Amino acid sequence: MPSAPAPAGLRRADSWWKSAAIYQLYVRSFADGDGDGIGDLAGARARLPHLAALGIDAIWFNPWYPSPMADAGYDISDYRSIDPVFGTLGDADALIAEAHAHGIRIIIDVVPNHGSDRHPWFAEALAAAPGSAARERFWFRPGRGAAGELPPNNWQSIFGGPAWTRVTEADGSPGEWYLHLFAPEQPDFNWDSPDVRREFEDVLRFWFARGVDGIRIDSAALLCKDPALPDVTGAQPPGPAHPYTDRDEVHAVYQSWRAIADEYSTGVHGAGVHGAGEHGAGEHRERMLIGEVWLPDASRLARYVGPGELHTVFNFPYLNCPWDAAELRRVIDEALALNAPLGAPATWVLSNHDVDRVVSRYGRPDTSFDLERRPYYHSLPVDLALGTRRARAAALLTMALPGSVYLYQGEETGLWEVQDIPDELRQDPIWDRTGGADPGRDGCRVPLPWSGTEPPFGFSPAGAAAEPWLPQPKEWRDLTVFAEWADGDSMLSLYRAALRIRRSVPAFAAMLLSWRQAPDGVLAFDRPASASTADGDAASATTPATVRCVANLSAVPVGLPPHASVLLASGPLADGLLPPDTTAWLQALRAG
Ligand code: NOJ
């Protein structure tokens, strides 16, 4: 075990997760320490000082566990270790400790809906007979049709094709089918099985004891299935009557997980692997849970959040929303209204490893996004200059909202969606499973450019044995971290400045927002530093501590309201005007 490092860096603020800026680190594509063309923990550790200087509060790591990588690590064969391509458990321990020393908390991904077909339990299930306890941990069923040749029901895989695959029994005969809501290599666990519940509770304890600060729960609404496994009808909305999305039983799972997170938050478990100095008994260090829950109905989404359940859920309606002031206002209000009564903070997210990069989305004639319509979006022209201007404005809008904000790696340097990856190099199972109809998610997962003027742009060390696992566009020479760090007008400089201000100005820590009157196409709101200034529209309600955010999504310049100073703007301001697709943070005038 590593020796205890100084925990000096962790700010001791309670409920850090309520307003944290959380950096999503997609480890395969972040930084390659050993030159095999794939990002790893050594690469991430080496760049922790950079992330600290960027000004983030926490990192969310996509899955780092042993995996055959049929779905880029979301097919896990061992939940208590690290894939050799990424490093070792010792590297993870060191990384957690070093991140803490830098004041950065660590959130990891846990994937409870499904495992890998190479998970020891699945091998056991395949070797065991139909009806055995080993098969009960998954969903094995006989097929329909005279010889069981048809899948047990009509469920479709989210990656395309049927959600069932038939196995060959130990005696060589065609056998039962098993359920996989994603790829065939990702068999769904049966959450009615006590083994499954116990196992995941133990996995949570394993990682909390190692010092992780939070868990991102993958596909969180899908775990529980109707045991009768009825056909799904087209019109069935998610909810208690749906056979597998958002069933009521799932909440008991997260209530038990919350109890575990709370136990570790109060330090009742003692020293943990880093010794008493860091996580000593009685120490209060809050652990959090964030759910990946895609649900159209806000009232159903609300059921996942609150003191007895998850701390937060991702705000996907915000991510999917077009660059339109009225639509955004509606989505923001809905998120705030949903979270406030639950005492939970809203979350704000513009992009992640599953969706098209924001610069490309906002550069299209249709700026909305919907995972299920990616081929349509990819058929549209992209104006990168326009998309970049809007992405800058969106970054300031997003970081001004009350709650926690998730930044997906590469967003801070303005990377775009790489839409022209050669077919033979594509890796996402969505591409294969849809016969090439859906290009999949590789375009937002291309390895980051760090420095230099040609690939691998410092992603891999000099003399690396392999090229980056996905090809980087040569135009990214202008978007390297090194080039942008030195350029005061770059996207990276904007993110750094925004994160610094967001962290240091008290108004951003107070969870308050009050809308201001604004012309059509313009969003304007105040972030008061205290409740006494949070209500009403009167100018006298503002104090110099109030920050006003104004985002112009209209096609014409608008006048800036009176202000004491401009804290930050996403683009040049001229003659007191805020140009189209620009956001400004203003310091309020002294009242009276
Ligand atoms: C959601 C993850 O974000 C995505 O990348 C993954 O493919 C699916 N869950 C399946 O685990």
PDB file of all heavy atoms in Angstrom, residues 106-126:
ATOM      1  N   ILE A 106     -11.910  12.592  -6.677  1.00  0.00           N
ATOM      2  CA  ILE A 106     -11.996  11.571  -7.734  1.00  0.00           C
ATOM      3  C   ILE A 106     -13.360  10.887  -7.710  1.00  0.00           C
ATOM      4  O   ILE A 106     -13.778  10.339  -6.680  1.00  0.00           O
ATOM      5  CB  ILE A 106     -10.889  10.497  -7.549  1.00  0.00           C
ATOM      6  CG1 ILE A 106      -9.494  11.131  -7.659  1.00  0.00           C
ATOM      7  CG2 ILE A 106     -11.056   9.375  -8.578  1.00  0.00           C
ATOM      8  CD1 ILE A 106      -9.106  11.626  -9.031  1.00  0.00           C
ATOM      9  N   ILE A 107     -13.999  10.908  -8.862  1.00  0.00           N
ATOM     10  CA  ILE A 107     -15.269  10.189  -9.071  1.00  0.00           C
ATOM     11  C   ILE A 107     -14.976   9.073 -10.072  1.00  0.00           C
ATOM     12  O   ILE A 107     -14.298   9.321 -11.075  1.00  0.00           O
ATOM     13  CB  ILE A 107     -16.331  11.149  -9.649  1.00  0.00           C
ATOM     14  CG1 ILE A 107     -16.616  12.286  -8.666  1.00  0.00           C
ATOM     15  CG2 ILE A 107     -17.616  10.404 -10.008  1.00  0.00           C
ATOM     16  CD1 ILE A 107     -17.460  13.413  -9.243  1.00  0.00           C
ATOM     17  N   ILE A 108     -15.453   7.867  -9.788  1.00  0.00           N
ATOM     18  CA  ILE A 108     -15.249   6.791 -10.759  1.00  0.00           C
ATOM     19  C   ILE A 108     -16.601   6.282 -11.270  1.00  0.00           C
ATOM     20  O   ILE A 108     -17.636   6.479 -10.643  1.00  0.00           O
ATOM     21  CB  ILE A 108     -14.417   5.620 -10.191  1.00  0.00           C
ATOM     22  CG1 ILE A 108     -15.097   5.005  -8.963  1.00  0.00           C
ATOM     23  CG2 ILE A 108     -12.998   6.079  -9.867  1.00  0.00           C
ATOM     24  CD1 ILE A 108     -14.513   3.673  -8.561  1.00  0.00           C
ATOM     25  N   ASP A 109     -16.515   5.624 -12.405  1.00  0.00           N
ATOM     26  CA  ASP A 109     -17.694   5.082 -13.056  1.00  0.00           C
ATOM     27  C   ASP A 109     -17.956   3.680 -12.508  1.00  0.00           C
ATOM     28  O   ASP A 109     -17.027   2.868 -12.446  1.00  0.00           O
ATOM     29  CB  ASP A 109     -17.378   4.949 -14.559  1.00  0.00           C
ATOM     30  CG  ASP A 109     -18.447   5.496 -15.460  1.00  0.00           C
ATOM     31  OD1 ASP A 109     -19.598   5.115 -15.266  1.00  0.00           O
ATOM     32  OD2 ASP A 109     -18.120   6.267 -16.382  1.00  0.00           O
ATOM     33  N   VAL A 110     -19.182   3.383 -12.122  1.00  0.00           N
ATOM     34  CA  VAL A 110     -19.553   2.001 -11.806  1.00  0.00           C
ATOM     35  C   VAL A 110     -20.682   1.610 -12.751  1.00  0.00           C
ATOM     36  O   VAL A 110     -21.600   2.399 -12.995  1.00  0.00           O
ATOM     37  CB  VAL A 110     -19.962   1.853 -10.320  1.00  0.00           C
ATOM     38  CG1 VAL A 110     -20.682   0.537 -10.079  1.00  0.00           C
ATOM     39  CG2 VAL A 110     -18.727   1.927  -9.430  1.00  0.00           C
ATOM     40  N   VAL A 111     -20.573   0.414 -13.310  1.00  0.00           N
ATOM     41  CA  VAL A 111     -21.524  -0.030 -14.341  1.00  0.00           C
ATOM     42  C   VAL A 111     -22.318  -1.213 -13.772  1.00  0.00           C
ATOM     43  O   VAL A 111     -21.862  -2.356 -13.821  1.00  0.00           O
ATOM     44  CB  VAL A 111     -20.767  -0.431 -15.628  1.00  0.00           C
ATOM     45  CG1 VAL A 111     -21.751  -0.802 -16.739  1.00  0.00           C
ATOM     46  CG2 VAL A 111     -19.844   0.691 -16.083  1.00  0.00           C
ATOM     47  N   PRO A 112     -23.492  -0.949 -13.195  1.00  0.00           N
ATOM     48  CA  PRO A 112     -24.226  -2.030 -12.530  1.00  0.00           C
ATOM     49  C   PRO A 112     -25.232  -2.753 -13.420  1.00  0.00           C
ATOM     50  O   PRO A 112     -25.680  -3.840 -13.080  1.00  0.00           O
ATOM     51  CB  PRO A 112     -24.972  -1.298 -11.412  1.00  0.00           C
ATOM     52  CG  PRO A 112     -25.193   0.086 -11.942  1.00  0.00           C
ATOM     53  CD  PRO A 112     -24.097   0.369 -12.933  1.00  0.00           C
ATOM     54  N   ASN A 113     -25.616  -2.158 -14.535  1.00  0.00           N
ATOM     55  CA  ASN A 113     -26.663  -2.795 -15.350  1.00  0.00           C
ATOM     56  C   ASN A 113     -26.171  -4.072 -16.008  1.00  0.00           C
ATOM     57  O   ASN A 113     -26.907  -5.030 -16.158  1.00  0.00           O
ATOM     58  CB  ASN A 113     -27.166  -1.837 -16.429  1.00  0.00           C
ATOM     59  CG  ASN A 113     -28.223  -2.486 -17.292  1.00  0.00           C
ATOM     60  OD1 ASN A 113     -29.310  -2.796 -16.829  1.00  0.00           O
ATOM     61  ND2 ASN A 113     -27.891  -2.756 -18.554  1.00  0.00           N
ATOM     62  N   HIS A 114     -24.896  -4.051 -16.390  1.00  0.00           N
ATOM     63  CA  HIS A 114     -24.351  -5.186 -17.137  1.00  0.00           C
ATOM     64  C   HIS A 114     -22.877  -5.339 -16.828  1.00  0.00           C
ATOM     65  O   HIS A 114     -22.221  -4.394 -16.395  1.00  0.00           O
ATOM     66  CB  HIS A 114     -24.536  -4.970 -18.641  1.00  0.00           C
ATOM     67  CG  HIS A 114     -24.111  -3.590 -19.073  1.00  0.00           C
ATOM     68  ND1 HIS A 114     -24.980  -2.522 -19.121  1.00  0.00           N
ATOM     69  CD2 HIS A 114     -22.908  -3.087 -19.425  1.00  0.00           C
ATOM     70  CE1 HIS A 114     -24.338  -1.428 -19.500  1.00  0.00           C
ATOM     71  NE2 HIS A 114     -23.071  -1.733 -19.685  1.00  0.00           N
ATOM     72  N   GLY A 115     -22.367  -6.545 -17.081  1.00  0.00           N
ATOM     73  CA  GLY A 115     -20.932  -6.778 -16.936  1.00  0.00           C
ATOM     74  C   GLY A 115     -20.342  -7.094 -18.287  1.00  0.00           C
ATOM     75  O   GLY A 115     -20.786  -6.563 -19.313  1.00  0.00           O
ATOM     76  N   SER A 116     -19.353  -7.988 -18.265  1.00  0.00           N
ATOM     77  CA  SER A 116     -18.727  -8.429 -19.515  1.00  0.00           C
ATOM     78  C   SER A 116     -19.000  -9.917 -19.684  1.00  0.00           C
ATOM     79  O   SER A 116     -19.155 -10.647 -18.695  1.00  0.00           O
ATOM     80  CB  SER A 116     -17.216  -8.202 -19.411  1.00  0.00           C
ATOM     81  OG  SER A 116     -16.546  -9.046 -20.309  1.00  0.00           O
ATOM     82  N   ASP A 117     -19.011 -10.366 -20.924  1.00  0.00           N
ATOM     83  CA  ASP A 117     -19.157 -11.813 -21.135  1.00  0.00           C
ATOM     84  C   ASP A 117     -17.899 -12.557 -20.675  1.00  0.00           C
ATOM     85  O   ASP A 117     -17.879 -13.779 -20.642  1.00  0.00           O
ATOM     86  CB  ASP A 117     -19.522 -12.144 -22.582  1.00  0.00           C
ATOM     87  CG  ASP A 117     -18.478 -11.697 -23.580  1.00  0.00           C
ATOM     88  OD1 ASP A 117     -17.540 -10.962 -23.194  1.00  0.00           O
ATOM     89  OD2 ASP A 117     -18.587 -12.079 -24.771  1.00  0.00           O
ATOM     90  N   ARG A 118     -16.847 -11.804 -20.298  1.00  0.00           N
ATOM     91  CA  ARG A 118     -15.651 -12.456 -19.718  1.00  0.00           C
ATOM     92  C   ARG A 118     -15.613 -12.335 -18.186  1.00  0.00           C
ATOM     93  O   ARG A 118     -14.619 -12.684 -17.569  1.00  0.00           O
ATOM     94  CB  ARG A 118     -14.367 -11.810 -20.268  1.00  0.00           C
ATOM     95  CG  ARG A 118     -14.288 -11.759 -21.769  1.00  0.00           C
ATOM     96  CD  ARG A 118     -14.055 -13.162 -22.353  1.00  0.00           C
ATOM     97  NE  ARG A 118     -14.225 -13.097 -23.805  1.00  0.00           N
ATOM     98  CZ  ARG A 118     -13.288 -12.675 -24.643  1.00  0.00           C
ATOM     99  NH1 ARG A 118     -12.128 -12.275 -24.182  1.00  0.00           N
ATOM    100  NH2 ARG A 118     -13.524 -12.647 -25.935  1.00  0.00           N
ATOM    101  N   HIS A 119     -16.655 -11.811 -17.609  1.00  0.00           N
ATOM    102  CA  HIS A 119     -16.721 -11.758 -16.144  1.00  0.00           C
ATOM    103  C   HIS A 119     -16.806 -13.200 -15.637  1.00  0.00           C
ATOM    104  O   HIS A 119     -17.509 -14.020 -16.234  1.00  0.00           O
ATOM    105  CB  HIS A 119     -17.976 -10.969 -15.725  1.00  0.00           C
ATOM    106  CG  HIS A 119     -18.047 -10.646 -14.274  1.00  0.00           C
ATOM    107  ND1 HIS A 119     -18.329 -11.597 -13.313  1.00  0.00           N
ATOM    108  CD2 HIS A 119     -17.869  -9.480 -13.607  1.00  0.00           C
ATOM    109  CE1 HIS A 119     -18.323 -11.018 -12.119  1.00  0.00           C
ATOM    110  NE2 HIS A 119     -18.043  -9.731 -12.267  1.00  0.00           N
ATOM    111  N   PRO A 120     -16.080 -13.535 -14.541  1.00  0.00           N
ATOM    112  CA  PRO A 120     -16.103 -14.928 -14.066  1.00  0.00           C
ATOM    113  C   PRO A 120     -17.515 -15.448 -13.819  1.00  0.00           C
ATOM    114  O   PRO A 120     -17.781 -16.629 -14.065  1.00  0.00           O
ATOM    115  CB  PRO A 120     -15.305 -14.892 -12.761  1.00  0.00           C
ATOM    116  CG  PRO A 120     -14.672 -13.554 -12.681  1.00  0.00           C
ATOM    117  CD  PRO A 120     -15.194 -12.676 -13.774  1.00  0.00           C
ATOM    118  N   TRP A 121     -18.414 -14.595 -13.372  1.00  0.00           N
ATOM    119  CA  TRP A 121     -19.799 -15.054 -13.151  1.00  0.00           C
ATOM    120  C   TRP A 121     -20.448 -15.514 -14.457  1.00  0.00           C
ATOM    121  O   TRP A 121     -21.253 -16.437 -14.464  1.00  0.00           O
ATOM    122  CB  TRP A 121     -20.651 -13.916 -12.560  1.00  0.00           C
ATOM    123  CG  TRP A 121     -20.516 -13.752 -11.090  1.00  0.00           C
ATOM    124  CD1 TRP A 121     -19.658 -14.419 -10.252  1.00  0.00           C
ATOM    125  CD2 TRP A 121     -21.290 -12.868 -10.268  1.00  0.00           C
ATOM    126  NE1 TRP A 121     -19.848 -13.982  -8.975  1.00  0.00           N
ATOM    127  CE2 TRP A 121     -20.834 -13.042  -8.948  1.00  0.00           C
ATOM    128  CE3 TRP A 121     -22.300 -11.965 -10.520  1.00  0.00           C
ATOM    129  CZ2 TRP A 121     -21.373 -12.318  -7.875  1.00  0.00           C
ATOM    130  CZ3 TRP A 121     -22.843 -11.247  -9.461  1.00  0.00           C
ATOM    131  CH2 TRP A 121     -22.383 -11.421  -8.153  1.00  0.00           C
ATOM    132  N   PHE A 122     -20.127 -14.832 -15.547  1.00  0.00           N
ATOM    133  CA  PHE A 122     -20.770 -15.224 -16.805  1.00  0.00           C
ATOM    134  C   PHE A 122     -20.188 -16.561 -17.288  1.00  0.00           C
ATOM    135  O   PHE A 122     -20.925 -17.422 -17.779  1.00  0.00           O
ATOM    136  CB  PHE A 122     -20.616 -14.127 -17.861  1.00  0.00           C
ATOM    137  CG  PHE A 122     -21.577 -14.290 -19.000  1.00  0.00           C
ATOM    138  CD1 PHE A 122     -22.942 -14.072 -18.833  1.00  0.00           C
ATOM    139  CD2 PHE A 122     -21.133 -14.696 -20.259  1.00  0.00           C
ATOM    140  CE1 PHE A 122     -23.848 -14.253 -19.878  1.00  0.00           C
ATOM    141  CE2 PHE A 122     -22.028 -14.877 -21.316  1.00  0.00           C
ATOM    142  CZ  PHE A 122     -23.385 -14.648 -21.123  1.00  0.00           C
ATOM    143  N   ALA A 123     -18.875 -16.718 -17.116  1.00  0.00           N
ATOM    144  CA  ALA A 123     -18.269 -18.003 -17.495  1.00  0.00           C
ATOM    145  C   ALA A 123     -18.922 -19.123 -16.680  1.00  0.00           C
ATOM    146  O   ALA A 123     -19.278 -20.185 -17.219  1.00  0.00           O
ATOM    147  CB  ALA A 123     -16.766 -17.947 -17.237  1.00  0.00           C
ATOM    148  N   GLU A 124     -19.115 -18.870 -15.391  1.00  0.00           N
ATOM    149  CA  GLU A 124     -19.774 -19.855 -14.518  1.00  0.00           C
ATOM    150  C   GLU A 124     -21.189 -20.155 -15.024  1.00  0.00           C
ATOM    151  O   GLU A 124     -21.613 -21.307 -15.072  1.00  0.00           O
ATOM    152  CB  GLU A 124     -19.933 -19.239 -13.125  1.00  0.00           C
ATOM    153  CG  GLU A 124     -19.200 -19.908 -12.004  1.00  0.00           C
ATOM    154  CD  GLU A 124     -19.502 -19.175 -10.694  1.00  0.00           C
ATOM    155  OE1 GLU A 124     -20.546 -19.439 -10.096  1.00  0.00           O
ATOM    156  OE2 GLU A 124     -18.689 -18.302 -10.301  1.00  0.00           O
ATOM    157  N   ALA A 125     -21.888 -19.089 -15.414  1.00  0.00           N
ATOM    158  CA  ALA A 125     -23.277 -19.262 -15.867  1.00  0.00           C
ATOM    159  C   ALA A 125     -23.321 -20.087 -17.152  1.00  0.00           C
ATOM    160  O   ALA A 125     -24.193 -20.950 -17.314  1.00  0.00           O
ATOM    161  CB  ALA A 125     -23.925 -17.897 -16.089  1.00  0.00           C
ATOM    162  N   LEU A 126     -22.376 -19.848 -18.045  1.00  0.00           N
ATOM    163  CA  LEU A 126     -22.366 -20.605 -19.301  1.00  0.00           C
ATOM    164  C   LEU A 126     -22.089 -22.085 -19.043  1.00  0.00           C
ATOM    165  O   LEU A 126     -22.654 -22.961 -19.693  1.00  0.00           O
ATOM    166  CB  LEU A 126     -21.290 -20.051 -20.252  1.00  0.00           C
ATOM    167  CG  LEU A 126     -21.596 -18.712 -20.907  1.00  0.00           C
ATOM    168  CD1 LEU A 126     -20.481 -18.352 -21.890  1.00  0.00           C
ATOM    169  CD2 LEU A 126     -22.942 -18.728 -21.641  1.00  0.00           C
TER     170      LEU A 126
END
